[in-house]
Amino acid sequence: KWDVILQALKNEHDISDVSFRTWLLPLEVYDVKDNLITILINDKQIGSDSINFIRRKYGLPLKVAIEEVTNKNYEIEFILGSKAEKLHKEDSNTTSSNHNNTNTALTPTNAYPFLNPRYTFDTFVVGANNNLAHAASLAVAESPAEVYNPLFIYGGVGLGKTHLMHSIAHFILKNNPKAKVLYVTSEKFTNELIESIRNENSNPSQFREKYRNIDVLLIDDIQFIIGKESTQQEFFHTFNTLHESKKQIIISSDKPPKDIETLEERLRSRFEWGLTVDIQSPDYETRMAILKKKEELDGLHIDNEVMKYIATNIKSNIRELEGALTKIDAYSKLEKKEITVELATQALKDLISPNDKKEITADFIAQIVSEHFNVTQAEMLSSKKSRNIAYPRQITMYLCRKMTELSLTDIGKKLGNRDHTTVLHGIDKVTKDLEKDQTLQNAIEVLTKKINPQ
Ligand code: ADP
Ligand code: MG
């Protein structure tokens, strides 16, 4: 009957698939005694912090659903999986459905241009490396400002922080299209702040108004504002205003607050008011599940052996994992060859180096810069001269010169076969602009950190 109860609950409260799958499906009846039902929450899957959330949010609806289905009035009690495991060993393999790819129809409506339509909970693969961050994010998305405030998500590059943040924003906006949700990178926050100070015509309170009159603030990659005193100060006030008026704040970073050296103490302690969760590198099963998801989303058909090859060799970064799939697909089309493990080995030879030490290459720099400025790599290499493409190209030249040993000629070759005078001109331009353009200084700083996180 448990299934029937859960289904009744879902229908009655119009619970979304992802919420259902995350909170309710993993619940198990542990014991029924007289009029008390004990329900087991698997803390390995959703974290021990979730117990209060589930109790508060689903406790009463569950009680009602049980009564409806059984015609009997039960009290319910929640216990955590680990507590019960001590009593009962055989529970351990009842929850293997970590990677259930419930096929929710994807509707990439991009009503929100500042959000990537593909970064939703539905496309996020949950594994042991990120299940706690996922559960906390979903809890916040379901009940903004009621559970963890702030929510602080940290983890290495390309592990899904931005994906989770956009998922939260999408979820909140879908439930409540009127909610004022603001997603910004910390770099954008800084630039807007600088702009509001510099531009004498603009009213500095405009900046404040924008950031303080919202319901949810998501600020991505907070590590990039650290070390900038004025930005930290402004952010401190923004944080306080929002927190005091019970607005949700979600922050991401590459490190936990305690390890961010230049973070002001008062900000650090505020970040720790709420919940801090991490995302780790994915294990093999999760890597495979992510590749399969990507294959499905992109409509690719790739042999399982090839998938295994990728998942075995690319371990630490999901962006690279996905990039490998795209690269192999492109390579096979270019060479007009079928996708085999051999072809994959060829296509990925730059990506998979034997000692796993990544060199900073011109390609890598070009990739980071193009992502940052939202242009495609193809455009960067093309002969297009419009400023929105030429400038990122010149910035790439500048960074290649600074961060690699490549000669001007080599840099030119890598960037769509340009000659060395063009490269020199590009580098000069950026160098000059850097003297006075604070936004550019910021961009270069952020890009340098992205390219070489040490
Ligand atoms: P970060 O912000 O931590 O650097 P991103 O959120 O940009 O990382 O993720 C990098 C890429 O990997 C994105 O394309 C994202 O969709 C994908 N990705 C990360 N984690 C997952 C996941 N658990 N399931 C599916 N895709 C993921
Ligand atoms: Mg990110």
Side-chain angles (χ1 to χ4, degrees), residues 3-52:
D3 292 349
V4 182
I5 292 170
L6 289 182
Q7 213 53 52
L9 178 63
K10 179 173 195 295
N11 296 339
E12 204 140 307
H13 295 268
D14 212 7
I15 295 169
S16 73
D17 286 338
V18 58
S19 307
F20 184 71
R21 178 162 90 222
T22 306
W23 310 123
L24 301 175
L25 218 48
L27 298 181
E28 286 172 69
V29 178
Y30 179 68
D31 194 23
V32 184
K33 224 186 266 150
D34 304 327
N35 65 341
L36 179 71
I37 300 187
T38 308
I39 295 168
L40 190 67
I41 298 180
N42 184 313
D43 62 339
K44 293 241 174 52
Q45 227 171 336
I46 53 179
S48 51
D49 291 306
S50 302
I51 189 167
N52 290 329

Coordinates of all heavy atoms in Angstrom, one line a residue, residues 3-52:
D3 N 3.1 2.3 -2.0 CA 3.1 3.0 -3.3 C 1.9 3.8 -3.5 O 1.9 4.9 -4.0 CB 3.2 1.9 -4.4 CG 4.5 1.2 -4.4 OD1 5.4 1.7 -3.7 OD2 4.6 0.2 -5.1
V4 N 0.7 3.2 -3.1 CA -0.5 3.9 -3.3 C -0.6 5.2 -2.5 O -1.0 6.2 -3.0 CB -1.7 3.0 -2.9 CG1 -3.0 3.7 -3.1 CG2 -1.6 1.6 -3.6
I5 N -0.1 5.1 -1.3 CA 0.0 6.3 -0.4 C 0.8 7.4 -1.0 O 0.4 8.5 -1.1 CB 0.5 5.9 1.0 CG1 -0.5 5.0 1.7 CG2 0.8 7.1 1.8 CD1 0.0 4.3 3.0
L6 N 2.0 7.0 -1.5 CA 2.9 8.0 -2.1 C 2.3 8.6 -3.3 O 2.4 9.8 -3.5 CB 4.3 7.4 -2.4 CG 5.1 7.0 -1.2 CD1 6.5 6.4 -1.7 CD2 5.4 8.1 -0.3
Q7 N 1.7 7.8 -4.1 CA 1.1 8.3 -5.3 C -0.1 9.3 -5.0 O -0.2 10.3 -5.7 CB 0.6 7.1 -6.2 CG 0.7 7.3 -7.7 CD 2.1 7.8 -8.1 OE1 3.0 7.1 -7.8 NE2 2.2 8.9 -8.9
A8 N -0.9 8.9 -4.0 CA -2.0 9.8 -3.6 C -1.4 11.1 -3.2 O -1.9 12.2 -3.5 CB -2.8 9.1 -2.5
L9 N -0.3 11.0 -2.4 CA 0.3 12.3 -1.9 C 0.8 13.1 -3.1 O 0.6 14.3 -3.1 CB 1.5 11.8 -1.0 CG 2.3 12.9 -0.4 CD1 1.5 13.8 0.5 CD2 3.5 12.3 0.4
K10 N 1.4 12.5 -4.0 CA 2.0 13.2 -5.2 C 0.9 13.9 -5.9 O 0.9 15.1 -6.2 CB 2.7 12.2 -6.1 CG 3.3 12.9 -7.3 CD 4.2 11.9 -8.1 CE 5.1 12.6 -9.1 NZ 4.4 13.2 -10.2
N11 N -0.2 13.2 -6.2 CA -1.3 13.7 -7.0 C -2.0 14.9 -6.3 O -2.3 15.9 -6.8 CB -2.3 12.7 -7.4 CG -1.7 11.6 -8.3 OD1 -0.6 11.9 -8.9 ND2 -2.2 10.4 -8.3
E12 N -2.3 14.6 -5.0 CA -3.0 15.6 -4.3 C -2.3 16.9 -4.1 O -2.9 18.0 -4.2 CB -3.3 15.1 -2.9 CG -4.5 15.7 -2.2 CD -5.2 14.6 -1.5 OE1 -5.5 13.6 -2.1 OE2 -5.4 14.8 -0.3
H13 N -1.0 16.9 -4.0 CA -0.2 18.1 -3.7 C 0.6 18.5 -5.0 O 1.4 19.5 -4.9 CB 0.7 17.9 -2.6 CG 0.0 17.7 -1.3 ND1 -0.4 18.8 -0.5 CD2 -0.5 16.6 -0.7 CE1 -1.0 18.3 0.6 NE2 -1.1 17.0 0.5
D14 N 0.3 17.9 -6.1 CA 0.9 18.3 -7.3 C 2.5 18.4 -7.1 O 3.1 19.4 -7.5 CB 0.3 19.7 -7.7 CG 0.3 19.8 -9.2 OD1 0.6 18.8 -9.9 OD2 0.0 20.9 -9.7
I15 N 3.0 17.4 -6.6 CA 4.5 17.4 -6.3 C 5.2 17.1 -7.6 O 4.9 16.2 -8.4 CB 4.8 16.4 -5.2 CG1 4.1 16.8 -3.9 CG2 6.3 16.2 -5.1 CD1 4.1 15.7 -2.9
S16 N 6.3 17.9 -7.9 CA 7.0 17.7 -9.1 C 7.8 16.4 -9.1 O 8.0 15.8 -8.0 CB 8.0 18.8 -9.3 OG 9.1 18.7 -8.4
D17 N 8.1 15.9 -10.3 CA 8.8 14.6 -10.4 C 10.1 14.6 -9.6 O 10.4 13.6 -8.9 CB 9.1 14.3 -11.9 CG 7.8 13.9 -12.6 OD1 6.8 13.4 -11.9 OD2 7.8 14.0 -13.8
V18 N 10.8 15.7 -9.8 CA 12.1 15.6 -9.1 C 12.0 15.6 -7.6 O 12.7 14.9 -6.9 CB 13.0 16.7 -9.6 CG1 12.4 18.1 -9.4 CG2 14.4 16.7 -8.9
S19 N 11.0 16.4 -7.1 CA 10.8 16.4 -5.6 C 10.4 15.0 -5.2 O 10.8 14.5 -4.1 CB 9.8 17.4 -5.2 OG 10.1 18.7 -5.8
F20 N 9.5 14.4 -5.9 CA 8.9 13.1 -5.6 C 10.1 12.1 -5.5 O 10.2 11.4 -4.6 CB 7.9 12.7 -6.6 CG 7.2 11.4 -6.3 CD1 6.3 11.3 -5.2 CD2 7.5 10.3 -7.0 CE1 5.7 10.1 -4.9 CE2 6.9 9.1 -6.8 CZ 6.0 9.0 -5.7
R21 N 10.9 12.1 -6.6 CA 12.0 11.2 -6.7 C 13.0 11.4 -5.6 O 13.6 10.4 -5.1 CB 12.5 11.4 -8.1 CG 13.7 10.7 -8.5 CD 13.8 10.8 -10.0 NE 14.6 11.9 -10.4 CZ 14.2 12.8 -11.4 NH1 13.1 12.6 -12.1 NH2 15.0 13.8 -11.7
T22 N 13.2 12.6 -5.2 CA 14.3 12.9 -4.2 C 13.8 12.6 -2.8 O 14.5 12.0 -2.0 CB 14.7 14.3 -4.4 OG1 15.1 14.6 -5.7 CG2 15.9 14.6 -3.4
W23 N 12.6 13.1 -2.5 CA 12.2 13.0 -1.1 C 11.3 11.8 -0.7 O 11.5 11.2 0.3 CB 11.5 14.3 -0.6 CG 12.1 15.6 -1.0 CD1 11.6 16.6 -1.7 CD2 13.4 16.0 -0.6 NE1 12.4 17.6 -1.8 CE2 13.6 17.3 -1.1 CE3 14.4 15.5 0.2 CZ2 14.7 18.1 -0.9 CZ3 15.6 16.2 0.4 CH2 15.7 17.5 -0.2
L24 N 10.4 11.5 -1.6 CA 9.4 10.6 -1.2 C 9.7 9.1 -1.6 O 9.5 8.2 -0.8 CB 8.0 11.0 -1.8 CG 7.6 12.4 -1.3 CD1 6.3 12.9 -1.9 CD2 7.4 12.4 0.3
L25 N 10.1 9.0 -2.8 CA 10.4 7.6 -3.3 C 11.4 6.9 -2.4 O 11.2 5.7 -2.2 CB 10.9 7.7 -4.8 CG 10.4 6.6 -5.7 CD1 8.9 6.4 -5.6 CD2 10.8 7.0 -7.1
P26 N 12.4 7.5 -1.9 CA 13.4 6.8 -1.1 C 12.8 6.5 0.3 O 13.5 5.8 1.1 CB 14.6 7.7 -1.0 CG 14.4 8.8 -2.0 CD 12.9 8.9 -2.2
L27 N 11.7 7.1 0.7 CA 11.2 6.8 2.1 C 10.7 5.3 2.1 O 10.1 4.8 1.2 CB 10.0 7.7 2.4 CG 10.3 9.2 2.4 CD1 9.0 9.9 2.8 CD2 11.4 9.5 3.4
E28 N 11.0 4.7 3.3 CA 10.6 3.4 3.4 C 9.9 3.2 4.8 O 10.2 3.9 5.7 CB 11.8 2.4 3.5 CG 12.4 2.2 2.1 CD 13.7 1.4 2.3 OE1 13.6 0.3 2.7 OE2 14.7 2.1 2.1
V29 N 8.9 2.3 4.8 CA 8.2 2.1 6.0 C 9.1 1.1 6.8 O 9.5 0.0 6.3 CB 6.9 1.4 5.8 CG1 6.2 1.1 7.2 CG2 6.0 2.3 5.0
Y30 N 9.5 1.6 8.0 CA 10.5 0.8 8.7 C 9.7 -0.1 9.7 O 10.1 -1.3 9.9 CB 11.4 1.7 9.5 CG 12.4 1.0 10.3 CD1 13.4 0.3 9.7 CD2 12.3 1.1 11.7 CE1 14.4 -0.4 10.5 CE2 13.3 0.4 12.5 CZ 14.3 -0.3 11.9 OH 15.2 -0.9 12.7
D31 N 8.6 0.4 10.2 CA 7.9 -0.3 11.2 C 6.5 0.2 11.4 O 6.3 1.4 11.2 CB 8.7 -0.2 12.6 CG 8.2 -1.2 13.6 OD1 7.6 -2.2 13.2 OD2 8.3 -0.9 14.8
V32 N 5.5 -0.7 11.6 CA 4.2 -0.2 11.9 C 3.8 -0.9 13.2 O 3.7 -2.1 13.4 CB 3.2 -0.6 10.8 CG1 1.8 0.0 11.2 CG2 3.6 -0.2 9.5
K33 N 3.5 0.0 14.2 CA 3.1 -0.6 15.5 C 1.9 0.2 16.0 O 1.9 1.4 16.1 CB 4.3 -0.5 16.5 CG 4.5 -1.7 17.3 CD 5.6 -1.5 18.4 CE 7.0 -2.0 17.9 NZ 8.1 -1.2 18.5
D34 N 0.9 -0.6 16.4 CA -0.4 0.1 16.9 C -0.7 1.2 15.9 O -1.0 1.0 14.8 CB -0.2 0.6 18.3 CG 0.2 -0.5 19.2 OD1 -0.2 -1.7 19.0 OD2 0.9 -0.3 20.2
N35 N -0.6 2.5 16.4 CA -1.0 3.5 15.5 C 0.2 4.4 15.2 O 0.1 5.6 14.9 CB -2.1 4.4 16.1 CG -1.7 5.1 17.3 OD1 -0.7 4.7 18.0 ND2 -2.4 6.1 17.7
L36 N 1.4 3.8 15.2 CA 2.6 4.6 14.9 C 3.4 3.9 13.7 O 3.7 2.8 13.7 CB 3.6 4.6 16.1 CG 4.9 5.3 15.9 CD1 4.7 6.8 15.8 CD2 5.9 5.0 17.0
I37 N 3.6 4.8 12.7 CA 4.3 4.3 11.6 C 5.7 5.0 11.6 O 5.8 6.2 11.7 CB 3.7 4.7 10.2 CG1 2.3 4.1 10.2 CG2 4.5 4.3 9.0 CD1 1.6 4.3 8.8
T38 N 6.7 4.1 11.6 CA 8.1 4.7 11.6 C 8.6 4.6 10.1 O 8.6 3.6 9.5 CB 9.0 3.8 12.5 OG1 8.4 3.7 13.7 CG2 10.4 4.5 12.6
I39 N 9.1 5.8 9.7 CA 9.5 5.9 8.3 C 11.0 6.2 8.3 O 11.5 7.0 9.0 CB 8.7 7.0 7.6 CG1 7.3 6.6 7.5 CG2 9.3 7.2 6.2 CD1 6.4 7.7 7.1
L40 N 11.7 5.4 7.4 CA 13.1 5.5 7.3 C 13.5 6.5 6.2 O 13.1 6.4 5.1 CB 13.6 4.1 6.9 CG 15.1 3.8 7.0 CD1 15.5 3.9 8.5 CD2 15.3 2.4 6.4
I41 N 14.4 7.4 6.6 CA 15.0 8.3 5.6 C 16.4 7.9 5.4 O 17.2 7.8 6.4 CB 15.0 9.8 6.2 CG1 13.5 10.2 6.4 CG2 15.7 10.7 5.2 CD1 13.4 11.6 7.0
N42 N 16.8 7.7 4.2 CA 18.1 7.3 3.9 C 19.0 8.5 3.9 O 19.1 9.2 2.9 CB 18.1 6.5 2.5 CG 19.5 6.0 2.3 OD1 20.5 6.7 2.4 ND2 19.6 4.7 1.9
D43 N 19.8 8.6 4.9 CA 20.6 9.8 5.0 C 21.8 9.8 4.1 O 22.4 10.8 3.8 CB 21.1 10.1 6.4 CG 21.9 9.0 7.0 OD1 21.9 7.9 6.4 OD2 22.7 9.2 7.9
K44 N 22.2 8.6 3.6 CA 23.3 8.5 2.6 C 22.9 9.2 1.3 O 23.7 9.7 0.6 CB 23.7 7.1 2.4 CG 24.3 6.4 3.6 CD 25.7 5.9 3.3 CE 26.3 5.4 4.6 NZ 25.5 4.4 5.2
Q45 N 21.6 9.1 1.0 CA 21.1 9.6 -0.2 C 20.8 11.1 -0.2 O 21.1 11.8 -1.1 CB 19.9 8.8 -0.6 CG 19.9 8.4 -2.1 CD 18.8 7.4 -2.3 OE1 18.2 6.8 -1.4 NE2 18.4 7.3 -3.6
I46 N 20.2 11.5 0.9 CA 19.8 12.9 0.9 C 20.3 13.7 2.1 O 20.0 14.9 2.2 CB 18.3 13.0 0.8 CG1 17.6 12.2 1.9 CG2 17.8 12.7 -0.6 CD1 16.1 12.3 1.9
G47 N 21.1 13.1 2.9 CA 21.8 13.8 3.9 C 20.9 13.9 5.2 O 19.7 13.9 5.2
S48 N 21.6 13.9 6.3 CA 20.8 13.9 7.6 C 20.1 15.2 7.9 O 19.1 15.3 8.6 CB 21.8 13.6 8.8 OG 22.9 14.4 8.7
D49 N 20.6 16.3 7.2 CA 19.9 17.6 7.4 C 18.5 17.5 6.9 O 17.6 18.4 7.2 CB 20.6 18.7 6.7 CG 21.9 19.0 7.4 OD1 21.9 19.2 8.6 OD2 23.0 19.0 6.7
S50 N 18.2 16.6 6.0 CA 16.9 16.6 5.3 C 15.8 16.2 6.2 O 14.6 16.4 5.9 CB 17.0 15.6 4.1 OG 18.0 16.0 3.2
I51 N 16.1 15.5 7.3 CA 15.0 15.0 8.1 C 14.1 16.1 8.6 O 12.8 15.9 8.5 CB 15.6 14.1 9.3 CG1 14.4 13.4 10.0 CG2 16.3 15.0 10.3 CD1 14.9 12.3 11.0
N52 N 14.6 17.2 9.0 CA 13.7 18.3 9.4 C 12.9 18.9 8.3 O 11.7 19.2 8.4 CB 14.5 19.4 10.1 CG 15.1 19.0 11.4 OD1 14.5 18.2 12.1 ND2 16.3 19.5 11.7

